[in-house]
Amino acid sequence: MRRGIIRPKAVIIGMMGAGKTRVGKEVAHLMHLSFADADIEIEREVGMKIPAYFERYGEPAFREVEADLIADYLEDFDGIFSLGGGAPMTPSTQDALADYIADGGRVVYLDADPHEAMERANRGGGRPMLNGDANARWRKLYKQRDPVFREVANVHVRTRRQTPQMAARKVMDMIGERTVHVTGSGIEPYDVVIGEGAMNHLADVLGSKVAKVALIHTQPVQRHSDRARTLLRQGGYDVIDIVVPDAEAGKTVDVANGVWRRLGDEGFTRSDAIVGVGGGAATDLAGFIAATWMRGIRYVNCPTSLLAMVDASTGGKTGINTEAGKNLVGSFYTPAGVLADTKTLASLPNDIFIEGLGEVAKSGFIEDTEILRILEEHADELRAFDGATFLGSGLEDVVCELIERTVTVKVHHVSADLKEKGKREFLNYGHTLGHAIEKLEHFRWRHGNAVAVGCVYAAELAHQLGYIDQELVDYHRALLSSLGLPISWNGGTFDDVLALMHKDKKARGNKLRFVVLDGTPGHMIHLEDPPADAVREAFRRIQH
Ligand SMILES: NC(=O)c1ccc[n+]([C@@H]2O[C@H](COP(=O)([O-])OP(=O)(O)OC[C@H]3O[C@@H](n4cnc5c(N)ncnc54)[C@H](O)[C@@H]3O)[C@@H](O)[C@H]2O)c1
Ligand SMILES: Nc1ncnc2c1ncn2[C@@H]1O[C@H](COP(=O)(O)OP(=O)(O)O)[C@@H](O)[C@H]1O
Ligand SMILES: O=C(O)C1=C[C@@H](OP(=O)(O)O)[C@@H](O)[C@H](O)C1
């Protein structure tokens, strides 16, 4: 927010009868904020009712008064601010709203069902723009205004058969969201939306050209895929339900084959889409199916685990496992959108939340040290994560901040290097040993836990070679263990580990390659072919 300016929490626009006033008041009540209705404030300023003002001075004069008042409120009001139906059609108001959005503001297009809005708009009369055949006028204005509202708003809330309270809660969820925009070479731009109710964006992201949607999900997230299915059907899509085996069991060619067969039976074409709901394994599979069906169809990820939200669902790595190992078959294929709906975390088990913190901490080490500070400050609450009490708690804001920051770190690397030729390899901090541990533990160890030990190993290796001091190595152990993450491992021999590290995708020929810190967190380097004794000694130091 620009200094010295007080901005509204949200501005509501929409057609007459959409509920801008009624729902706006409800949102303000729910959020303990003040409410202002531009029309009411204008009548107060000009000392007469709007129909009378229209009658006496005409619409152009009214729009001028309206634009001036809106410009003032956009810089000196901190509550929920509802505009009159025609206000966003005025160019100067469009400019003021764009400035407000650029300053972090939320312009909400309350897009009510036209029949419902028309019926409400006709209640009580007093709308000069509807003189004559009210419904015909309403439809004509809707045709003119809907495209402009979609352009002007940055939050699009559809309401249909919803009470003011239901509509208000949906608005509240969507104005509290965080969005990370993903773009870069080889990437069709998309957004990662983070917050309660992010799934509400499904229809927006899929668009109107999609007819059929294959909903790929796993049994443990049934309650969340049920919500996705309802939203898809409300959006008018024909939903094909595909339940796949949970976790790694779902990332196999046999499962993929079964899904391909189903898509064929259902007559899926390139204009149809995939929606993946679940942890990282489910979103990896869903992305792989989308990447391969007819050489690529649209897909949206709805991650439901912390690790999937902060890592797996974004960046375009899709894939399945083979006998030879994890993620060895796949494609770089980016989604049309990622909807990280934090409501889904309400059912996430504590141990699976904690393993996701492994990738969050990694992102703090490689780039964003504010992540490390937040983790330190909230370690006890994070370690005690309980989905049952998570939503609406103070921890939810902390977790949303961590998700946004961690996704941002990943996006910085993916945007610059989609196919992992250089910078993106820094996201693999801790993974060289981490993947070896997962393999030797027959994938009984969770990914984030293995990565945590791998980060300690990478720090020890960097210290052996003089890149970082002991204090930073100790900091790795202290932070990761405070989050409930493992910092040592004793499940295999050095020779077993060495053989697997030589198979890591960062290895080149017979030479090992690592990514390590150089000096302080946020400064990464590639470490090519380190001395064998340092590789061995660092391993010794992570064994408990
Ligand atoms: N594509 C990438 O860039 C990328 C990055 C990191 C990890 N991954 C992949 O992601 C996978 C790890 O992801 P993960 O840690 O989410 O594991 P996962 O998908 O196996 O999910 C872990 C468990 O938690 C359950 N679960 C997930 N969300 C839940 C919820 N909201 N409520 C209740 N249960 C829930 C799942 O059903 C599963 O049983 C691995 O296969 C890894 O290779 C991919
Ligand atoms: N979701 C809703 N459900 C039922 N009635 C509604 C809803 N939203 C608004 N209304 C009613 O419809 C009428 C018009 O609502 P209002 O908020 O004035 O619309 P707008 O400000 O968008 O023109 C009012 O009587 C209001 O109480
Ligand atoms: O998108 C990426 O670049 C990453 C993919 C995964 O690693 P792998 O590619 O080694 O599976 C993930 O664990 C890592 O955090 C970052």
Side-chain angles (χ1 to χ4, degrees):
M1 290 294 173
R2 290 208 322 254
R3 293 176 66 80
I5 285 180
I6 299 170
R7 293 289 196 183
K9 178 71 179 176
V11 174
I12 301 179
I13 67 173
M15 287 296 295
M16 289 168 280
K20 300 183 294 301
T21 302
R22 180 70 180 77
V23 173
K25 281 178 180 170
E26 198 65 38
V27 174
H29 171 70
L30 286 171
M31 300 181 77
H32 309 295
L33 294 169
S34 49
F35 173 75
D37 179 316
D39 284 354
I40 301 292
E41 297 310 318
I42 291 166
E43 289 181 339
R44 189 172 291 140
E45 184 170 298
V46 300
M48 66 175 74
K49 290 292 183 189
I50 286 175
Y53 194 92
F54 259 71
E55 189 70 31
R56 181 178 301 182
Y57 301 103
E59 186 182 355
F62 170 76
R63 293 300 173 199
E64 201 172 317
V65 168
E66 181 183 54
D68 289 347
L69 180 129
I70 289 170
D72 290 345
Y73 269 72
L74 287 178
E75 299 197 347
D76 191 17
F77 176 68
D78 62 356
I80 302 297
F81 184 34
S82 289
L83 307 190
M89 305 303 284
T90 304
S92 62
T93 297
Q94 291 171 5
D95 294 343
L97 290 172
D99 285 346
Y100 167 64
I101 287 175
D103 206 17
R106 301 283 192 187
V107 176
V108 178
Y109 174 15
L110 191 60
D111 183 6
D113 172 81
H115 297 291
E116 293 175 9
M118 273 187 279
E119 185 277 323
R120 294 174 200 152
N122 292 330
R123 293 180 200 169
R127 297 179 190 261
M129 293 301 290
L130 294 182
N131 289 339
D133 179 342
N135 284 354
R137 281 286 294 154
W138 192 98
R139 285 195 187 90
K140 184 166 182 249
L141 289 171
Y142 181 66
K143 201 169 177 187
Q144 291 166 1
R145 292 178 176 180
D146 176 64
V148 174
F149 292 170
R150 288 169 186 271
E151 192 59 35
V152 165
N154 61 342
V155 180
H156 185 176
V157 179
R158 285 185 172 84
T159 71
R160 178 190 305 267
R161 292 193 299 279
Q162 286 184 315
T163 65
Q165 293 73 19
M166 290 160 70
R169 185 150 295 282
K170 188 170 181 180
V171 169
M172 199 176 87
D173 281 349
M174 295 178 80
I175 62 178
E177 290 163 353
R178 299 156 183 262
T179 302
V180 179
H181 186 63
V182 189
T183 186
S185 170
I187 296 174
E188 277 191 48
Y190 63 95
D191 284 336
V192 180
V193 181
I194 303 153
E196 287 196 32
M199 268 191 204
N200 289 317
H201 291 270
L202 268 170
D204 274 344
V205 178
L206 288 169
S208 56
K209 294 187 174 59
V210 168
K212 295 189 182 79
V213 174
L215 181 59
I216 295 177
H217 58 107
T218 64
Q219 190 285 325
V221 298
Q222 195 71 46
R223 65 194 262 204
H224 309 306
S225 51
D226 288 349
R227 189 150 60 89
R229 186 183 308 106
T230 301
L231 288 165
L232 289 168
R233 285 180 176 154
Q234 283 175 349
Y237 300 101
D238 177 8
V239 181
I240 287 82
D241 212 68
I242 302 181
V243 181
V244 296
D246 191 35
E248 297 307 311
K251 286 177 64 173
T252 72
V253 70
D254 289 344
V255 171
N257 210 20
V259 177
W260 290 322
R261 192 178 307 117
R262 182 78 188 280
L263 297 185
D265 294 345
E266 298 285 350
F268 253 61
T269 68
R270 274 192 169 158
S271 60
D272 297 322
I274 303 288
V275 169
V277 179
T283 58
D284 271 9
L285 173 73
F288 179 64
I289 296 294
T292 51
W293 184 254
M294 293 195 171
R295 295 193 180 85
I297 62 173
R298 197 171 184 75
Y299 79 107
V300 179
N301 276 336
C302 297
T304 62
S305 72
L306 179 62
L307 188 134
M309 289 182 180
V310 301
D311 195 353
S313 59
T314 298
K317 278 187 180 177
T318 72
I320 55 174
N321 307 323
T322 68
E323 289 302 313
K326 260 176 73 72
N327 301 335
L328 295 183
V329 169
S331 174
F332 287 98
Y333 189 70
T334 51
V338 177
L339 306 179
D341 193 316
T342 48
K343 280 181 181 166
T344 65
L345 296 179
S347 59
L348 191 69
N350 172 273
D351 62 331
I352 292 166
F353 176 84
I354 287 177
E355 71 123 343
L357 293 174
E359 291 286 6
V360 174
K362 176 215 67 187
S363 301
F365 287 126
I366 70 171
E367 181 179 296
D368 183 355
T369 55
E370 180 62 11
I371 289 176
L372 301 177
R373 189 197 65 74
I374 296 170
L375 289 173
E376 278 182 61
E377 184 180 342
H378 298 279
D380 293 344
E381 304 156 76
L382 290 165
R383 184 169 178 161
F385 170 85
D386 176 2
T389 59
F390 173 70
L391 296 183
S393 70
L395 184 63
E396 184 176 12
D397 291 337
V398 173
V399 170
C400 283
E401 175 78 13
L402 288 171
I403 294 170
E404 182 182 19
R405 285 181 172 275
T406 306
V407 168
T408 300
V409 169
K410 177 151 190 179
V411 167
H412 285 165
H413 290 79
V414 170
S415 299
D417 175 21
L418 175 65
K419 297 205 172 177
E420 203 170 24
K421 305 284 188 226
K423 181 178 171 85
R424 185 168 184 168
E425 288 186 315
F426 294 150
L427 292 172
N428 237 229
Y429 186 61
H431 285 59
T432 311
L433 178 67
H435 279 317
I437 290 174
E438 288 183 270
K439 177 83 174 165
L440 291 169
E441 290 289 350
H442 307 291
F443 302 105
R444 289 186 302 258
W445 266 51
R446 305 209 57 73
H447 178 73
N449 293 337
V451 167
V453 177
C455 288
V456 177
Y457 175 78
E460 285 286 5
L461 182 60
H463 178 57
Q464 288 292 313
L465 301 173
Y467 288 107
I468 65 172
D469 59 24
Q470 184 61 47
E471 187 183 352
L472 184 48
V473 180
D474 296 344
Y475 177 72
H476 276 68
R477 287 193 169 88
L479 178 69
L480 294 168
S481 57
S482 75
L483 296 169
L485 289 160
I487 55 172
S488 63
W489 176 75
N490 215 11
T493 68
F494 174 69
D495 290 343
D496 293 341
V497 164
L498 186 64
L500 286 168
M501 291 200 292
H502 273 289
K503 289 182 180 175
D504 182 78
K505 61 178 170 300
K506 299 190 294 297
R508 295 290 183 272
N510 66 347
K511 300 214 181 311
L512 289 177
R513 290 176 71 247
F514 293 88
V515 289
V516 298
L517 288 176
D518 180 15
T520 58
H523 299 92
M524 296 296 293
I525 57 169
H526 285 91
L527 182 59
E528 315 274 344
D529 193 19
D533 57 351
V535 173
R536 178 184 294 272
E537 175 57 18
F539 178 72
R540 189 186 65 77
R541 293 182 181 212
I542 59 95
Q543 292 182 294
H544 47 57

